[in-house]
Amino acid sequence: HMTEAALAFAKADQVGEETRSVDVAALAASLADDLAELGHDVVAEDCEAVVARCRPMSLRRAIRNVLENAVRYGHRARVSVVREAGRAVILVSDDGPGIPADDMERMFDPFVRGESSRNRDTGGIGLGLAIARTIMRAHGGDLKLENREEGGLDARLTLPAAPTGRMTT
């Protein structure tokens, strides 16, 4: 599994997927619905229609990786999408313990996990966030993590939003 994941990570930015305009809120809500149908506590709320030029399958993978981490380590996930200063902002919040501030950036290193055992039943292999950040940065955006004061973690995925008005392909 680690070898397959490492190869997928290495190829993440080399996919020949075509860039097109996508309603980021619809994409995020669809992913939340998919995970909820699988029995996870995931909900999309406050999703503003924001269009972005992106590689949709790649963006879908980045958001899904973050949502799956939120459910795995934070027990439930809430996703929202807003336009902010010309950017599409996808916010994924969970109710978990958060991450120690000193470890926050390290979570983006390949094969680093928030759960320290190597038990596959309690976590992945440590590539989800690394892949998600690589995808977001390839789109001209980023992925940042922040502990919430009231507890839990926020993952903030950003990418440039298309100008308002119409959706182009």
Side-chain angles (χ1 to χ4, degrees), residues 13 15-22 51-59 135 138-140 159-160 162 167-169:
D13 197 34
V15 179
E17 184 183 0
E18 190 174 313
T19 299
R20 62 185 182 93
S21 294
V22 172
V51 175
R53 298 275 305 158
C54 65
R55 292 185 319 277
M57 289 176 60
S58 294
L59 182 59
I135 291 168
H139 281 89
L159 69 159
M167 200 157 124
T168 60
T169 54

Side-chain angles (χ1 to χ4, degrees), residues 6-43:
L7 290 171
F9 177 69
K11 293 178 184 177
D13 197 34
Q14 299 174 9
V15 179
E17 184 183 0
E18 190 174 313
T19 299
R20 62 185 182 93
S21 294
V22 172
D23 180 343
V24 177
L27 179 66
S30 168
L31 282 165
D33 290 345
D34 290 349
L35 290 171
E37 283 182 25
L38 292 173
H40 299 290
D41 189 354
V42 181
V43 65

Side-chain angles (χ1 to χ4, degrees), residues 98-109 112-114 129 145 147:
I99 298 171
D102 293 345
D103 290 340
M104 199 75 70
E105 250 335 277
R106 200 172 68 79
M107 291 295 109
F108 294 106
D109 291 343
V112 172
R113 294 176 25 162
L129 289 176
L145 303 175
N147 289 314

Side-chain angles (χ1 to χ4, degrees), residues 72-96:
R72 178 177 288 136
Y73 300 110
H75 314 296
R76 65 183 282 230
R78 292 167 311 287
V79 61
S80 60
V81 178
V82 297
R83 173 185 286 274
E84 195 175 276
R87 316 237 356 122
V89 178
I90 306 145
L91 185 66
V92 176
S93 302
D94 70 39
D95 294 334

Side-chain angles (χ1 to χ4, degrees), residues 36-70:
E37 283 182 25
L38 292 173
H40 299 290
D41 189 354
V42 181
V43 65
E45 52 191 29
D46 301 325
C47 286
E48 174 185 335
V50 181
V51 175
R53 298 275 305 158
C54 65
R55 292 185 319 277
M57 289 176 60
S58 294
L59 182 59
R60 183 177 196 74
R61 181 175 185 192
I63 298 169
R64 185 177 180 109
N65 285 357
V66 173
L67 282 170
E68 286 176 344
N69 274 358

